[in-house]
Amino acid sequence: MQKITSLAKRRGFIFPSSEIYGGFGSCYDFGPLGVEMKNNIKKAWWDEMTKTQENIVGLDAAILMSPKVWSASGHLTAGFADELVECKKCKKRFRADQIGKECPECKGVLSAPRKFNLMMKTFIGPVEDEASVTYLRAETCQGIYMNFENVLNSMRMKTPFGIAQIGKAFRNEITPGNFIYRTREFEQMEMQWFCEPKSADKFFEFWLEKRMKWYLGLGIKKENLRAREVAKEELAHYAKRVVDIEYRFPFGWKEIEGVHNRGDWDLSNHSKNSGQNLKYEGCFPYIIETSAGADRAFLTFLADAYQEVKGGRTTTTESAKEEEIVLRLDKKIAPIKAAVLPLVKNKPDIVNKAKEVYDLLKPHFSVQYDEAGSIGRRYRRQDEIGTVFCLTIDFDTLKDNAVTIRDRDTMQQERIEISKLIATISTKLNDDV
Ligand code: GAP
């Protein structure tokens, strides 16, 4: 984990938030490569939901909602609280289920557990009193339930149908940690599938399989992914059945996504509390939810792709003696698709040609231009960030108007005419074989 964290910072994927002030409460910022990669993950999820499925539409609801939403959803009660204990000596606080009988920091005596609600409180408007209290959303799906009728009517949907949404969520976690695995501000990718109660079990299985395949299809190794049935005693307050999709991180098997049967908990509670009838054809649809964390997916792809090659991969150059890092990210997820590398930087003709190629590709793909250091070193810098192709502009380019394209994984090289580059790279990136 330490190696992944340091690579992420060194190469512009993830920085600690407010770093010049010493960081802030396990918050992180996504850097230039991080934002590209996260956008790629979100796009892959969005396309999977809204393009490969017939009956799913998108939504982008507000983060701030009426506090009545959270009282009806059950989030303001003990159901959405963790047990907290405090060390009587050093005053540090911990989640009761994550530690033993004494303080892990100073071995002090712990207080009796008490409930700690995870909702992030804020005030809306100019007066900070009880009447103006509201909350940052703790799950994005409540915005979907608020718009169930709007979507149903405006889009003339019929069950079964789904609504997909990506957005920020906030929880005042007692013990965030493991880099971006558990943070207080994070992004969810949630899809709510509204169906007849009698078909809920069938759709649960359907969505679980789909979601497992999504990770595998984007290159996650089979042996690092599993589905775990969550025991009845562990279920969240809204759930009838939960299967967690777990990934084998360096710190153990951990949940990255939940597939939930929420029954009619949400629509019936919001009907009761709002006075609006949220039934569809006389009954409340059941909801099968797929709830993934974009940040956890990010960490999953990063951890799974990370590979150290002792002694390096090249056998022909000096670099063979060094350890090499390759980020074997799926082509869709990789933040940089191609790097443009002039073979030498002291020949203006070659440099100009390379810049021409860079300008040609830039509107179409995320590309980098790099002329610093030996070509071997530059290949390794690109491998380390998972760049899919490296394009070298050399002396022959000036004669034949072609470049050498090197594949990150196979290291195979082929010669391609500049006029065919856009089409060739597009084909290679979209080629699923
Ligand atoms: N709407 C259902 C729901 O929110 P959840 O199991 O509490 O269910 C779903 O959360 C997903 O959101 C998790 O599997 C995880 O990927 C992500 N998530 C939850 N809390 C998180 C946190 N503190 N930091 C990062 N991701 C989190």
Side-chain angles (χ1 to χ4, degrees):
M1 266 313 281
Q2 220 245 308
K3 286 176 177 171
I4 295 169
T5 312
S6 95
L7 173 78
K9 167 140 194 246
R10 188 161 46 82
R11 298 308 310 272
F13 287 86
I14 299 172
F15 308 124
S17 160
S18 323
E19 198 182 6
I20 60 167
Y21 290 104
F24 183 67
S26 283
C27 295
Y28 291 93
D29 300 336
F30 287 81
L33 298 193
V35 65
E36 290 291 339
M37 178 162 152
K38 201 176 190 197
N39 282 343
N40 292 343
I41 294 171
K42 291 192 281 185
K43 182 168 186 325
W45 184 89
W46 191 258
D47 287 352
E48 163 84 2
M49 288 299 173
T50 64
K51 290 190 182 159
T52 69
Q53 293 298 313
E54 257 180 38
N55 232 7
I56 300 185
V57 290
L59 183 78
D60 183 13
I63 289 174
L64 295 173
M65 285 182 264
S66 163
K68 290 176 186 161
V69 173
W70 302 108
S71 109
S73 69
H75 281 81
L76 299 182
T77 61
F80 193 63
D82 282 338
E83 298 245 301
L84 172 147
V85 287
E86 188 176 278
C87 172
K88 290 184 177 166
K89 198 162 133 204
C90 73
K91 304 289 175 212
K92 287 226 167 74
R93 292 172 169 188
F94 307 93
R95 248 172 76 171
D97 61 346
Q98 288 179 347
I99 56 164
K101 292 207 176 334
E102 56 183 28
C103 173
E105 301 274 330
C106 73
K107 308 265 176 266
V109 178
L110 299 172
S111 68
R114 64 181 171 85
K115 287 281 183 190
F116 176 78
N117 192 276
L118 303 182
M119 296 295 294
M120 287 252 199
K121 216 183 230 184
T122 188
F123 298 96
I124 198 146
V127 186
E128 294 193 359
D129 61 11
E130 272 309 301
S132 62
V133 165
T134 191
Y135 304 89
L136 304 185
R137 66 184 175 195
E139 52 175 9
T140 53
C141 58
Q142 294 299 329
I144 294 183
Y145 309 141
M146 289 303 102
N147 287 287
F148 171 69
E149 283 227 293
N150 286 336
V151 173
L152 195 67
N153 297 333
S154 62
M155 305 302 289
R156 292 188 291 137
M157 306 304 279
K158 290 187 169 56
T159 60
F161 75 95
I163 304 179
Q165 178 173 223
I166 298 176
K168 292 270 184 168
F170 302 82
R171 294 182 194 175
N172 207 359
E173 299 281 359
I174 300 168
T175 44
N178 282 324
F179 195 29
I180 56 165
Y181 178 79
R182 189 180 303 282
T183 50
R184 295 187 172 112
E185 171 179 347
F186 52 96
E187 219 162 351
Q188 290 188 314
M189 309 187 287
E190 295 198 309
M191 193 281 297
Q192 313 295 310
W193 184 254
F194 301 92
C195 63
E196 284 183 343
K198 67 174 191 302
S199 52
D201 291 341
K202 177 187 80 181
F203 283 121
F204 190 101
E205 298 303 334
F206 172 84
W207 282 111
L208 176 59
E209 193 186 329
K210 272 242 158 220
R211 295 306 303 142
M212 291 289 285
K213 280 191 176 152
W214 185 76
Y215 291 100
L216 297 172
L218 290 170
I220 298 303
K221 295 178 197 80
K222 213 170 171 209
E223 64 272 21
N224 291 339
L225 198 72
R226 73 179 187 194
R228 184 180 71 89
E229 183 82 40
V230 175
K232 283 263 177 285
E233 320 74 80
E234 272 185 75
L235 292 184
H237 62 277
Y238 50 75
K240 283 186 175 312
R241 182 185 171 199
V242 173
V243 172
D244 280 347
I245 299 179
E246 296 186 334
Y247 178 74
R248 190 186 356 204
F249 287 104
F251 46 88
W253 284 101
K254 294 278 177 199
E255 171 196 344
I256 56 171
E257 169 159 356
V259 178
H260 308 147
N261 180 348
R262 300 180 69 123
D264 66 2
W265 166 270
D266 301 281
L267 292 181
S268 66
N269 273 315
H270 286 308
S271 279
K272 203 160 53 202
N273 285 278
S274 66
Q276 299 288 318
N277 178 7
L278 299 178
K279 285 182 175 165
Y280 173 81
E281 292 185 342
C283 84
F284 292 114
Y286 268 27
I287 293 171
I288 303 301
E289 167 183 61
T290 67
S291 177
D295 312 81
R296 284 192 191 173
F298 190 109
L299 192 58
T300 300
F301 287 116
L302 200 60
D304 213 62
Y306 184 90
Q307 192 193 10
E308 284 175 354
V309 185
K310 299 259 182 286
R313 293 192 294 165
T314 10
T315 49
T316 48
T317 62
E318 267 300 291
S319 62
K321 297 188 189 75
E322 293 176 17
E323 179 175 273
E324 196 180 313
I325 294 168
V326 188
L327 218 48
R328 294 187 185 275
L329 291 166
D330 182 88
K331 292 177 285 188
K332 285 202 180 78
I333 304 296
I336 306 292
K337 308 302 181 200
V340 179
L341 317 172
L343 186 67
V344 288
K345 67 170 179 182
N346 53 1
K347 291 273 179 276
D349 284 357
I350 290 193
V351 168
N352 288 342
K353 199 72 188 168
K355 290 198 171 143
E356 223 176 84
V357 172
Y358 174 70
D359 288 341
L360 174 79
L361 299 181
K362 202 169 158 38
H364 301 272
F365 315 102
S366 70
V367 281
Q368 267 193 1
Y369 175 86
D370 186 5
E371 59 175 29
S374 73
I375 195 78
R377 205 160 278 285
R378 278 181 277 161
Y379 279 153
R380 289 203 304 285
R381 262 208 300 273
Q382 294 299 332
D383 289 345
E384 194 182 47
I385 57 171
T387 301
V388 188
F389 302 112
C390 283
L391 312 176
T392 310
I393 285 75
D394 55 21
F395 292 96
D396 286 343
T397 310
L398 304 176
K399 286 181 250 152
D400 64 2
N401 253 322
V403 303
T404 302
I405 178 165
R406 169 193 180 265
D407 181 290
R408 177 196 68 203
D409 294 331
T410 62
M411 295 193 351
Q412 276 180 352
Q413 306 199 355
E414 53 180 310
R415 202 84 190 146
I416 298 193
E417 275 175 48
I418 292 173
S419 63
K420 294 191 180 136
L421 259 184
I422 293 171
T424 309
I425 295 176
S426 293
T427 311
K428 283 179 184 287
L429 289 176
N430 292 313
D431 185 3
D432 282 335
V433 187

